Amino acid sequence: MKDKIRIASGQGFWGDLIEAPYYQVTRGEIDYLVMDYLAEVTMSILQKQKNKNPNLGYARDIPELMERILPIIKEKNIKVITNGGGVNPVACAEAVVDVAQKLGIEKLKIAVVVGDNILERIDEFLESGIELNHMETGESIVKIKERVLSANVYFGAFPIVEALQKGADIVITGRTTDTGLTLAPMIHEFGWDINDYNKLSAGTVAGHILECGAQATGGNFLGDWESIENFAEVGFPIAEAYPNGEVIITKHESLGGKVTFETIAEQLLYEIGDPKNYITPDCVADFASIKLEDLGNNRVKVFDVKGEKETEFYKVSVSYADGCSAVGSLTYSWPQALTKAKAADRILRKRLENLNLQFDEIRTDYIGYNATHESLAKEINEDDINEIMMRIAVRSHDKKSIERFGREIAPLILTGPPSVTGFAGGRPKPSKVVAYWPALIPKSLVHPEVKILEWK
Amino acid sequence: MKIKLRDIAHGRSGDKGDAANIGIIAYDDRGYEIIEKHLTAEKVKKHFDGICRGKVERYELPNLRALNFLLHNTLGGGGTVSLKFDAQGKTLAAALLRMEIEIEN
């Protein structure tokens, strides 16, 4: 057994810093590169792409990245784990095989985890009495069944562990929890018991720290953010994991960013609910038990993590179509920028009303004044304000109303308050609203499957 | 004596469906004593009057000198449905740090 492994975060979401995984594999020693590509909205986008082309439906950044890093990870024996397979992990893996063959790389084992996609099984579940009720409202999924776009179960670390045990160099999954990507190599390398919930929780906590990339190393840090050096080449976090469950979070020395008690604490609190019940498919971690020790030199020890047995359910994320929305904006300059913007909003709303358009919601924000902090924004002295952007957003189940709204923004330039500009983008176009339906499903009904792609 | 929350704590916020979470971390133990005592769920609810339309839950993480707040019914329907400019509540931690707290001298 290794006495420690170094697991590096390469992406915090699909669209994150493209150079980050390249830095991780070139600027220092690591054993694993883990990359989270999937947000809820990503799954519905990928499903749409797959519907149009059965060979798509995965994060297309992956083959491009692999072209750059495959020779390096092969030479350094770095294993890659990612959930960027989206709704088509097999096609993603095949694309990576193509890249490897093109580069002349031999003996590479790619594993794929499938089985999370239950889009085609919803009727089967409903017929057998599994109702997939909304976790918060308790409503039956029947209400939105005809509008479902994607449906995936969140798998945890264990299918990835199986893939690693089969000797995979690269593991590509569909919907896997972000934390499972980081926990899996620890279970695999250290032989942790499936019932050792404290250790599984320790690995889960490390996964939570890594899952948003540089948010653990100084990115989006609300403490003393100006003290963060070299944001331009920010180092993504690395979890140095030990067999006893202790983890030291660090980063490559030559890269920017900062790892301190404060930067790690902020990430630990990111998007959590009840800290004592951080539920994953692998365990229920207690975030209130976590202890941190700042060792200096961008090293923070995470230890004493406690946790409990996992639940008997997988979480399901269903996305469904829920009408359309559009956003328009215009910018008004000094003098009286805010007064002009507010007048424009009143005029526009009156016109929408006269047209008898149907909206579920109309919302106006004044960027430069209250768009982020709303009623908490300080009152402003208009003499001190150079410009205000009026941003108006609408949502409707009637697409025609949204389209007409898009045609009512530009006229304000010649038919409303003066010193107005900023309509270069053209008419706001309706975009489809995708909503989410969180549900639970008994683990006994869904089974992950690990497939190995191998060639000589 | 009145103190500014931003002088004794930092934090991070994000979305959990239509709820927002705000983690507030004190810079030192004395700061944690203050937020643990004064930064109640009721005060946070009142601070976000008109923004948070549901209940506010508070959780304590003394090891991290931190409190976590869950603000229900806050993000205009959540994630992709919301028309809010900050639909994911990313700036709400900063908004909470605007608070001033009255403490004993």
Side-chain angles (χ1 to χ4, degrees):
Chain A
M1 195 208 314
K2 288 182 183 159
D3 64 347
K4 68 173 178 192
I5 52 169
R6 282 164 65 91
I7 305 163
S9 158
Q11 289 282 278
F13 66 102
W14 189 7
D16 205 354
L17 196 67
I18 291 169
E19 292 308 297
Y22 184 74
Y23 288 154
Q24 290 292 49
V25 300
T26 55
R27 294 290 190 94
E29 297 311 308
I30 61 167
D31 301 294
Y32 288 86
L33 177 68
V34 297
M35 291 181 292
D36 170 36
Y37 281 95
L38 302 183
E40 279 183 330
V41 66
T42 320
M43 297 306 278
S44 63
I45 295 168
L46 293 172
Q47 186 66 50
K48 220 180 280 176
Q49 291 176 358
K50 190 186 173 191
N51 292 346
K52 281 183 192 156
N53 180 342
N55 294 318
L56 295 180
Y58 57 88
R60 276 181 281 173
D61 293 20
I62 291 178
E64 182 189 306
L65 171 68
M66 287 301 169
E67 196 155 347
R68 288 178 80 192
I69 69 168
L70 263 186
I72 302 162
I73 64 168
K74 186 77 188 151
E75 187 204 323
K76 293 184 163 182
N77 192 25
I78 298 167
K79 295 185 192 304
V80 178
I81 303 170
T82 179
N83 59 13
V87 297
N88 204 351
V90 172
C92 181
E94 285 168 355
V96 175
V97 169
D98 287 347
V99 170
Q101 287 181 326
K102 193 173 120 192
L103 294 171
I105 288 170
E106 290 167 4
K107 288 185 187 164
L108 194 69
K109 216 181 225 189
I110 302 180
V112 184
V113 177
V114 294
D116 61 297
N117 194 339
I118 56 162
L119 184 58
E120 309 295 330
R121 297 182 65 193
I122 293 178
D123 283 328
E124 169 200 330
F125 292 138
L126 286 173
E127 277 161 29
S128 63
I130 304 296
E131 294 183 322
L132 299 172
N133 290 342
H134 193 287
M135 269 170 76
E136 280 140 38
T137 66
E139 290 169 286
S140 164
I141 200 168
V142 172
K143 185 181 150 194
I144 55 126
K145 198 170 79 75
E146 303 309 319
R147 292 184 278 145
V148 168
L149 302 170
S150 68
N152 294 79
V153 165
Y154 284 79
F155 286 146
F158 284 95
I160 302 172
V161 174
E162 185 187 331
L164 294 171
Q165 280 164 354
K166 287 179 173 166
D169 300 296
I170 297 173
V171 185
I172 296 172
T173 78
R175 186 68 266 193
T176 291
T177 56
D178 312 344
T179 54
L181 305 176
T182 297
L183 170 60
M186 300 185 199
I187 298 170
H188 168 65
E189 296 278 1
F190 303 142
W192 287 349
D193 192 276
I194 189 167
N195 298 317
D196 192 340
Y197 302 114
N198 289 343
K199 289 204 181 78
L200 297 184
S201 296
T204 297
V205 167
H208 182 90
I209 295 171
L210 259 55
E211 75 183 30
C212 293
Q215 260 204 158
T217 52
N220 191 26
F221 174 55
L222 192 49
D224 184 12
W225 69 271
E226 286 176 299
S227 72
I228 309 289
E229 289 174 8
N230 195 8
F231 264 127
E233 292 177 294
V234 66
F236 276 39
I238 294 169
E240 199 174 278
Y242 294 83
N244 65 359
E246 288 183 3
V247 173
I248 292 173
I249 304 294
T250 186
K251 67 178 188 67
H252 288 324
E253 215 180 318
S254 67
L255 295 171
K258 194 152 105 172
V259 183
T260 64
F261 181 102
E262 284 78 17
T263 65
I264 298 303
E266 271 197 27
Q267 178 53 24
L268 282 172
L269 284 148
Y270 183 62
E271 290 186 351
I272 64 165
D274 175 0
K276 288 186 181 296
N277 287 293
Y278 185 95
I279 300 170
T280 76
D282 307 307
C283 59
V284 178
D286 176 4
F287 273 42
S289 71
I290 300 167
K291 288 184 186 152
L292 296 182
E293 186 184 350
D294 194 327
L295 306 172
N297 288 324
N298 293 305
R299 292 171 67 80
V300 171
K301 185 162 99 170
V302 185
F303 62 107
D304 262 6
V305 180
K306 303 284 187 282
E308 302 282 340
K309 185 176 167 52
E310 78 278 12
T311 75
E312 283 170 13
F313 298 93
Y314 283 124
K315 188 178 169 188
V316 183
S317 178
V318 177
S319 69
Y320 64 97
D322 199 17
C324 300
S325 67
V327 179
S329 63
L330 288 171
T331 298
Y332 292 86
S333 88
W334 183 94
Q336 291 184 288
L338 183 58
T339 303
K340 290 173 192 162
K342 285 185 173 174
D345 177 55
R346 279 195 303 273
I347 297 161
L348 178 59
R349 284 179 186 246
K350 178 70 181 151
R351 287 179 185 160
L352 298 177
E353 196 188 310
N354 289 348
L355 290 164
N356 204 19
L357 302 180
Q358 302 300 311
F359 297 107
D360 299 330
E361 187 185 357
I362 304 177
R363 183 188 168 94
T364 313
D365 292 290
Y366 300 97
I367 295 174
Y369 170 45
N370 68 353
T372 57
H373 289 181
E374 304 180 50
S375 53
L376 287 162
K378 274 190 186 165
E379 285 307 314
I380 51 172
N381 177 354
E382 279 207 288
D383 269 353
D384 297 335
I385 290 290
N386 292 309
E387 65 229 359
I388 290 285
M389 179 188 275
M390 177 195 68
R391 173 194 187 268
I392 180 159
V394 292
R395 188 158 53 84
S396 176
H397 282 75
D398 176 37
K399 197 177 171 190
K400 281 190 178 137
S401 291
I402 299 281
E403 274 165 356
R404 184 59 194 256
F405 161 82
R407 295 162 69 187
E408 293 295 324
I409 304 295
L412 278 167
I413 296 169
L414 302 189
T415 64
S419 40
V420 54
T421 187
F423 195 68
R427 284 178 178 159
K429 292 190 179 62
S431 61
K432 286 179 186 158
V433 172
V434 177
Y436 293 92
W437 188 276
L440 295 174
I441 193 166
K443 283 181 172 167
S444 57
L445 295 178
V446 187
H447 303 284
E449 192 191 334
V450 177
K451 292 181 178 175
I452 304 283
L453 279 72
E454 210 171 352
W455 74 100
K456 296 239 162 61
Chain B
M1 171 171 92
K2 242 183 195 172
I3 56 164
K4 291 176 177 154
L5 184 54
R6 66 177 294 206
D7 289 338
I8 60 165
H10 58 114
R12 178 166 292 175
S13 53
D15 62 322
K16 290 191 74 64
D18 192 26
N21 104 294
I22 305 177
I24 294 293
I25 303 145
Y27 285 112
D28 56 29
D29 291 343
R30 171 70 185 133
Y32 183 67
E33 274 176 37
I34 294 171
I35 61 171
E36 203 267 330
K37 185 170 175 190
H38 295 278
L39 194 57
T40 59
E42 293 73 31
K43 272 194 192 149
V44 172
K45 169 76 181 165
K46 200 176 157 212
H47 184 74
F48 286 104
D49 185 31
I51 298 171
C52 171
R53 289 165 190 187
K55 63 176 176 179
V56 172
E57 290 177 289
R58 182 182 109 152
Y59 301 98
E60 290 148 27
L61 299 93
N63 291 350
L64 303 179
R65 304 191 299 257
L67 300 174
N68 185 43
F69 295 93
L70 258 190
L71 281 64
H72 293 271
N73 196 358
T74 296
L75 296 178
T80 50
V81 176
S82 173
L83 298 182
K84 282 200 174 198
F85 187 57
D86 183 17
Q88 294 175 304
K90 300 273 188 189
T91 66
L92 290 178
L96 182 50
L97 292 187
R98 285 174 177 272
M99 189 191 276
E100 292 186 341
I101 297 178
E102 185 70 45
I103 59 164
E104 54 280 14
N105 288 324

